[in-house]
Amino acid sequence: MQQYIDSYDFSGKKAIVRVDFNVPLDDDFNITDDTRIRAAIPTLKKVLASGGSLILMSHLGRPKGVDAKFSLKHIQQHIAECLGAPVQFADDCQKADAQAAALKPGEVLLLENLRFYAEEEGKPRGLAADASDEEKAAAKKAVKESQKEFVKKLASYADCYINDAFGTAHRAHASTALIAAYFPNDKMFGYLMEKETAAVDNILKNARRPFTAIIGGSKVSSKLGVIKNLLDKVDNLIICGGMSYTFVKAQGGRIGDSIHEDELIPDALEVLRTAEAKGVNISLSAETVAGKEFSDTTERRTVDIFNIPDGWHGMDCGEASLARWKEIILASKTILWNGPAGVFEFPSFAHGTEQIATYIAEATQNGAYSLVGGGDSVAAVTRMGFSDKVSYVSTGGGALLEAIEGKELPGVAAIRN
Ligand code: AMP
C-alpha cells in the first residue's frame, strides 16, 4: 500500500530516504551546483518536523569500490546547512546498525556512498576484459545473491522508506527499487518525486491542446524513443539543435560538416512518415546559423539548412525559424522542452536556445503548462533566470526521458505497485 508523506505519521519513526545527492564537485570538493540537495530539503524537513528521524542514502559519482574521492563526507556539512540541523555520518552504509538504532526524533544520519558496494547497482565489478560468458554469468549471479543481504541491511535501519530521488528513478537499483519490498505498508514518494511524476502525467496523460514538444540536443539516437512516443501525443513537434541535420540529410539536404548520425537516417525518415500519417506538424529549422569552424569566435553565416556550404557547421537556428516557432509556442496550451536549439555553450550560438526559453516563458504567463527537462535546457533556463517563469523544471535527465518514452520507471513502480 502506497502511503503519502503528508498523511503518514512519522512521530518516533526512522525514515530511510533515497535522495539523489549526486552533485557536481570541483577539484577541492566544493559543490558547484547544489540544486539536487535543495530539491530534497522540503521532504527531509517535513519528516523532522513531524517527529521522525532521517537516514539519508545516495550515490555520488561512479566509484568502482571504496574511493575517498567519491565520499559523501564532502557534502555532509552542506546538507546540514541546507537542512538547518546537524548531520551525523556513517562511514560504511552496511555497518550503520548502532548509529541508526541510536537516532532520536529530529536527528539525521547520512550513509556513505551506496555505490562503494557493487550490490547497489547489482552489477559485477572487476571482471577480466577477456572473461568468458560463463564467468560473466557466474559473477552476475553472485552479485545478485549478495544484493539481497545488502538491501536487507539497509531496510533494517528504518521503519519506513521514502524515495525522493527522481534522477535515479529509472534505475532498478537496491536503494531505488528493491528496498521498497521491505516496507509494503510504509513506502512513499517524497515531495520531489510527487512533483516530478505529476509533471510527467501533466504532459503524457492530461495535456491540454495544442501540445507542442520542442526536442533539441546533439543526437537523434538519444531521443528517438522520446520522439516516437510523443508522435502519439503532440500536435506540434519542433526538432532543433544538432539532431536537425540528420533529418535534413535524410531528406537529401547538404549539411556541410554539421553533426549528424548516418545510421539514424532510416529512423529519421520513419519519424517523418509517421508524423505525416498521424497528422503531427513537424517543424524543422528552415535556415541555420553556420560557423566556419566549430568555435565561439568563428565567422558566422545564415544559410539555407538544406544547403550548408562544405566545411561549415550548422550551430544555431535562424530568425525565420524562430519567428515560426514563436507562433507555434505561443498558441500552445502544453509545452515540453528538452535539448538546446544550438551550441548554446558558445554565446555566439546561444541565441536560438535563449529565444525558445523566452517564448516558453511568455506562453506560460499566458496560461500554458510548460515542462523543461534535461541538463542543457535546464541550464539554459537557469542561466537566464527563467526557472520561475516556466511551470516546472525537472531534476531528472535520463529518468525524465525514459518517463516521456512511456516507460514505467522502476523507482516509481516500486512505490506504486
Ligand atoms: P543533448 O545532451 O543530447 O541534449 O545535447 C546537448 C548538446 O547538444 C549541447 O552540448 C549542445 O552544444 C549540443 N548541440 C546542440 N546543437 C548542436 C549543433 N548544431 N552542433 C553540435 N552540437 C550541438
Side-chain angles (χ1 to χ4, degrees):
M1 184 180 69
Q2 181 186 342
Q3 295 280 358
Y4 292 90
I5 198 167
D6 274 335
S7 51
Y8 193 80
D9 180 7
F10 288 103
S11 62
K13 299 247 175 76
K14 297 185 170 83
I16 188 156
V17 190
R18 180 44 158 113
V19 283
D20 183 359
F21 285 173
N22 182 28
V23 289
L25 300 175
D26 66 15
D27 291 345
D28 297 321
F29 302 111
N30 298 307
I31 300 170
T32 54
D33 178 357
D34 70 350
T35 309
R36 287 177 169 163
I37 294 178
R38 284 186 288 105
I41 293 297
T43 297
L44 308 185
K45 281 193 167 162
K46 161 75 183 168
V47 174
L48 296 180
S50 313
S53 54
L54 290 168
I55 299 154
L56 308 180
M57 55 178 177
S58 178
H59 73 286
L60 178 66
R62 298 188 171 178
K64 293 282 164 263
V66 177
D67 184 342
K69 200 172 133 202
F70 297 105
S71 174
L72 283 170
K73 237 184 177 338
H74 301 307
I75 65 171
Q76 176 185 2
Q77 190 49 36
H78 192 76
I79 299 169
E81 280 160 24
C82 292
L83 203 50
V87 173
Q88 304 168 38
F89 193 75
D91 292 321
D92 184 334
C93 72
Q94 289 289 286
K95 293 187 182 137
D97 311 61
Q99 283 171 289
L103 274 186
K104 294 193 213 38
E107 292 187 342
V108 187
L109 174 66
L110 173 66
L111 303 183
E112 181 55 288
N113 198 338
L114 296 165
R115 290 197 191 165
F116 282 2
Y117 284 86
E119 284 77 6
E120 164 62 359
E121 295 177 275
K123 282 194 223 135
R125 285 182 182 157
L127 265 174
D130 59 352
S132 67
D133 286 348
E134 286 78 28
E135 283 167 328
K136 282 185 196 156
K140 195 168 171 191
K141 195 166 165 229
V143 77
K144 288 281 174 203
E145 229 9 82
S146 54
Q147 192 179 40
K148 291 179 193 153
E149 288 308 310
F150 179 84
V151 183
K152 197 169 160 190
K153 172 62 82 176
L154 294 174
S156 73
Y157 301 149
D159 304 301
C160 59
Y161 167 63
I162 300 174
N163 190 348
D164 214 16
F166 185 71
T168 32
H170 57 316
R171 307 281 183 219
H173 292 166
S175 66
T176 59
L178 304 184
I179 192 172
Y182 286 86
F183 302 94
N185 298 313
D186 301 277
K187 55 181 182 173
M188 61 209 104
F189 292 133
Y191 290 135
L192 177 65
M193 280 286 271
E194 270 183 28
K195 280 197 286 185
E196 295 275 1
T197 50
V200 171
D201 285 351
N202 275 344
I203 58 155
L204 290 190
K205 296 187 184 155
N206 315 317
R208 286 180 297 141
R209 297 188 171 280
F211 176 7
T212 298
I214 305 143
I215 305 292
S218 55
K219 290 177 175 172
V220 180
S221 52
S222 58
K223 313 247 167 108
L224 189 61
V226 169
I227 292 175
K228 281 185 178 168
N229 195 37
L230 286 173
L231 288 177
D232 280 326
K233 319 261 179 208
V234 299
D235 302 293
N236 305 297
L237 177 61
I238 293 174
I239 292 180
C240 54
M243 68 166 66
S244 318
Y245 307 99
T246 301
F247 282 89
V248 171
K249 188 165 180 193
Q251 295 173 87
R254 273 178 69 204
I255 59 166
D257 271 6
S258 307
I259 189 171
H260 66 284
E261 294 167 291
D262 283 329
E263 62 288 7
L264 267 295
I265 284 179
D267 297 284
L269 288 171
E270 181 61 31
V271 165
L272 295 172
R273 272 194 297 268
T274 311
E276 190 167 6
K278 290 183 188 287
V280 173
N281 168 35
I282 289 214
S283 187
L284 274 165
S285 194
E287 78 298 357
T288 192
V289 180
K292 196 166 185 187
E293 314 279 337
F294 193 81
S295 84
D296 187 28
T297 49
T298 189
E299 183 188 337
R300 291 186 299 162
R301 216 190 266 175
T302 299
V303 296
D304 177 356
I305 200 168
F306 277 81
N307 207 358
I308 302 174
D310 291 345
W312 286 65
H313 307 257
M315 288 162 74
D316 197 5
C317 47
E319 292 298 340
S321 314
L322 285 170
R324 198 153 37 93
W325 293 345
K326 181 177 183 182
E327 250 175 60
I328 295 174
I329 292 169
L330 287 181
S332 302
K333 291 272 182 293
T334 304
I335 302 159
L336 164 70
W337 182 25
N338 177 283
V343 189
F344 82 111
E345 296 92 333
F346 297 156
S348 311
F349 296 94
H351 179 68
T353 302
E354 289 175 356
Q355 286 303 105
I356 287 177
T358 310
Y359 307 152
I360 296 175
E362 195 176 331
T364 310
Q365 199 177 20
N366 294 344
Y369 178 82
S370 55
L371 167 58
V372 179
D376 286 311
S377 14
V378 172
V381 164
T382 313
R383 196 171 72 191
M384 294 174 70
F386 275 17
S387 308
D388 294 341
K389 296 187 174 165
V390 300
S391 307
Y392 192 69
V393 178
S394 176
T395 60
L400 180 75
L401 286 183
E402 289 200 18
I404 300 170
E405 270 180 54
K407 292 182 184 162
E408 182 162 52
L409 307 182
V412 173
I415 298 286
R416 280 189 179 156
N417 303 332

